[in-house]
Amino acid sequence: MTRHWKLGIGVCLAVCTAGLVVGIYVQRVERRRLVHAASVTRARAEKGDAKGQFDLASMYFYGKGVPQDYAEAARWCRKAAEESDPLAEFVIGSMYYDGHGVPQDYTEAALWYRKAAQQGNPKGQRDLGSMYFYGKGMPQDYTEAAQWYRKAAEQGDAAAQFDLGSMYRDGKGVQQDYSEAIGWYRKAASQGNADAEYNLGYMYYYGQGLPQDYATAIRWFREAADHGYPDAQRLLRSIESKPSTAMGIRYIVVMVAFVSGLIFSVAPLWPGRSFRNSRHATALGLIALAYGGLSLYGITHDNMRYSACRNLFFLAQGLLIGMAIIVVIIIIAAKRKRTEAK
């Protein structure tokens, strides 16, 4: 037995070592590939190829194949933008807006956003709209903001659809129109935009522009919460913390799981026949106790349902239910066999 344990440990160590060696090798190969790609891209960029210049800027920005250097990224991106590449124009505008590799300058950012927007780049149109909306780099102008948001929204940009919907809801730059707001929110929400999902839920909840519908509102709040929107998560916790039939059922399930778990766990110790002869009773009891404990944790940590591990939590519950069903089937089959044998 000792020899087998040593052999098992040796195999595990060998596998781990092999995995580490392979991982290091793959990492080195990938690094060499990126360095070679950067060299080829630089050659294209130095010949004046706008796409090559933009690709080299991206490599410097993310540190792929070259050391990360925002200033170099901005320099090459500007070269591509000066060749009228709309994506490069948008990106260099964003770099000026955030102050990445260049001094922060809203006026310069607006200039490049406008160039990209005039070439039909939806992100440039949306961000130019935002510059007008907040009055950054130019005078505040809601009408101009709405016009640029609309151009981006009509190209399917979800963030612009949400922004345009909000302008219709608040009557800024356009005449207030809840129906239009709902229409644009719905378009953005269909693309998974959490802001639009939350606002659509809000309008259903308070009956703004459509019939009040709590069930639909909760559904949209839940969609937003699942996409990580904090306000939706807080609102759902507030709503669901109120006493409800569903919460009562959850507590009943926990109590039944704990009581039945205790009964089945100690059943083999009882005098008489009961489950004394069933070697599966204890297993069923432990499964019921585990399910009860997991359910109680879910109730006391209700925000868990919005965390990254929520799918794992529900998977564990499902597995426990499945195990309980299998054990019950085994117990019934064993009892039937004993009955037939008699």
Side-chain angles (χ1 to χ4, degrees):
M1 182 63 72
T2 305
R3 187 170 57 191
H4 290 162
W5 275 109
K6 288 181 179 179
L7 179 62
I9 293 171
V11 169
C12 287
L13 288 173
V15 170
C16 291
T17 303
L20 181 61
V21 170
V22 170
I24 293 171
Y25 175 75
V26 169
Q27 194 175 38
R28 286 186 177 179
V29 168
E30 179 65 12
R31 191 182 297 119
R32 286 175 188 168
R33 187 189 69 78
L34 288 173
V35 170
H36 175 71
S39 176
V40 172
T41 303
R42 184 183 298 279
R44 287 167 46 215
E46 288 174 347
K47 289 179 181 177
D49 180 78
K51 188 176 185 310
Q53 291 167 342
F54 180 74
D55 288 345
L56 185 59
S58 298
M59 288 179 164
Y60 271 112
F61 191 89
Y62 294 107
K64 291 187 175 181
V66 292
Q68 190 175 51
D69 188 329
Y70 290 141
E72 275 295 291
R75 186 171 75 86
W76 285 106
C77 190
R78 188 178 187 105
K79 286 180 181 290
E82 288 170 350
E83 296 290 331
S84 298
D85 182 293
L87 184 55
E89 289 169 344
F90 163 71
V91 172
I92 192 64
S94 298
M95 295 186 81
Y96 272 109
Y97 187 90
D98 296 323
H100 273 149
V102 289
Q104 189 176 53
D105 188 332
Y106 290 141
T107 303
E108 193 73 13
L111 183 150
W112 287 108
Y113 283 152
R114 187 180 299 280
K115 288 178 181 289
Q118 288 171 342
Q119 291 199 69
N121 182 279
K123 293 181 179 179
Q125 292 168 341
R126 181 195 68 212
D127 283 3
L128 182 60
S130 295
M131 301 291 274
Y132 272 114
F133 187 88
Y134 294 107
K136 290 184 175 181
M138 58 182 67
Q140 190 176 53
D141 188 331
Y142 290 141
T143 303
E144 276 290 311
Q147 289 177 4
W148 286 110
Y149 281 150
R150 184 181 300 279
K151 288 179 184 292
E154 288 173 348
Q155 292 196 67
D157 186 279
Q161 290 169 344
F162 164 74
D163 290 331
L164 185 59
S166 296
M167 297 195 80
Y168 271 109
R169 183 197 62 190
D170 300 332
K172 289 183 175 180
V174 291
Q175 187 174 355
Q176 189 177 50
D177 188 331
Y178 286 145
S179 296
E180 276 289 308
I182 291 163
W184 287 110
Y185 281 154
R186 202 177 294 281
K187 286 178 184 290
S190 69
Q191 297 190 63
N193 183 281
D195 293 294
E197 290 166 344
Y198 177 78
N199 281 25
L200 196 54
Y202 186 92
M203 296 187 83
Y204 269 110
Y205 197 83
Y206 290 101
Q208 292 183 338
L210 34 71
Q212 193 172 48
D213 186 337
Y214 291 133
T216 304
I218 296 298
R219 180 169 65 82
W220 282 114
F221 287 146
R222 196 174 301 285
E223 290 284 339
D226 287 343
H227 287 127
Y229 198 76
D231 288 345
Q233 294 173 356
R234 283 193 290 270
L235 182 60
L236 280 175
R237 283 198 293 273
S238 173
I239 292 170
E240 292 173 354
S241 65
K242 297 174 183 177
S244 65
T245 303
M247 184 59 70
I249 292 171
R250 289 175 72 184
Y251 278 113
I252 290 170
V253 168
V254 171
M255 290 177 63
V256 169
F258 274 123
V259 172
S260 60
L262 288 170
I263 291 172
F264 279 98
S265 297
V266 301
L269 304 176
W270 288 1
R273 301 187 60 170
S274 66
F275 287 100
R276 184 179 58 181
N277 298 323
S278 174
R279 63 182 181 276
H280 304 294
T282 303
L284 186 60
L286 292 175
I287 290 170
L289 287 172
Y291 184 83
L294 199 61
S295 298
L296 184 61
Y297 181 86
I299 292 172
T300 55
H301 297 74
D302 204 50
N303 61 336
M304 177 279 307
R305 71 175 61 189
Y306 310 118
S307 71
C309 66
R310 65 185 184 278
N311 291 332
L312 185 62
F313 177 84
F314 292 121
L315 175 63
Q317 280 193 321
L319 287 173
L320 287 170
I321 292 171
M323 289 166 64
I325 291 170
I326 291 170
V327 173
V328 167
I329 291 171
I330 291 171
I331 290 173
I332 292 171
K335 187 175 180 181
R336 185 172 295 174
K337 275 186 179 181
R338 286 196 301 271
T339 304
E340 291 174 354
K342 290 178 182 178

